[in-house]
C-alpha cells in the first residue's frame, strides 16, 4: 500500500489556479488525506469525528501544503 493516493506525482489545481510549491516552484505533488486530531476527541476515543485535511506533498522538496476539506 502506498503512502500517497497516486503512484506518480500529479499537477494540482486549486480554485482554477495551478498549485506551485512556495519553496522550490515545482508543480507536481502527491496527495494525501490527514486527520486533524484534537486532545479531547482522542481522550474519548472519538478521533473519527475530527476534521480531515488534504495535503499536497511536493515531489521535489517534500514541502507539505495543507487544505481543509476537499
Amino acid at each position: 500500500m502506498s503512502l500517497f493516493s497516486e503512484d506518480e506525482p500529479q499537477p494540482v489545481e486549486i480554485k482554477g489556479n495551478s498549485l506551485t510549491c512556495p519553496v522550490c516552484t515545482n508543480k507536481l505533488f502527491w496527495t494525501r488525506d490527514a486527520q486533524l486530531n484534537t486532545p479531547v476527541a482522542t481522550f474519548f476515543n472519538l478521533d473519527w469525528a475530527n476534521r480531515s485535511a488534504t495535503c499536497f506533498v511536493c515531489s521535489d522538496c517534500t514541502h507539505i501544503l495543507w487544505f481543509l476539506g476537499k
Side-chain angles (χ1 to χ4, degrees):
M1 178 175 214
S2 175
L3 179 63
F4 302 105
S5 358
E6 0 17 66
D7 293 331
E8 295 295 323
Q10 304 291 320
V12 174
E13 191 173 286
I14 304 290
K15 291 192 158 210
N17 297 303
S18 294
L19 189 62
T20 302
C21 177
V23 175
C24 70
T25 69
N26 182 39
K27 293 186 180 285
L28 297 176
F29 298 86
W30 285 291
T31 303
R32 181 170 184 204
D33 290 326
Q35 189 81 26
L36 301 174
N37 292 338
T38 60
V40 172
T42 300
F43 179 78
F44 289 108
N45 211 17
L46 297 171
D47 288 321
W48 58 268
N50 284 315
R51 292 183 71 179
S52 292
T54 301
C55 299
F56 298 107
V57 181
C58 176
S59 65
D60 186 28
C61 73
T62 68
H63 180 74
I64 302 171
L65 297 153
W66 294 69
F67 292 86
L68 290 177
K70 294 286 176 194

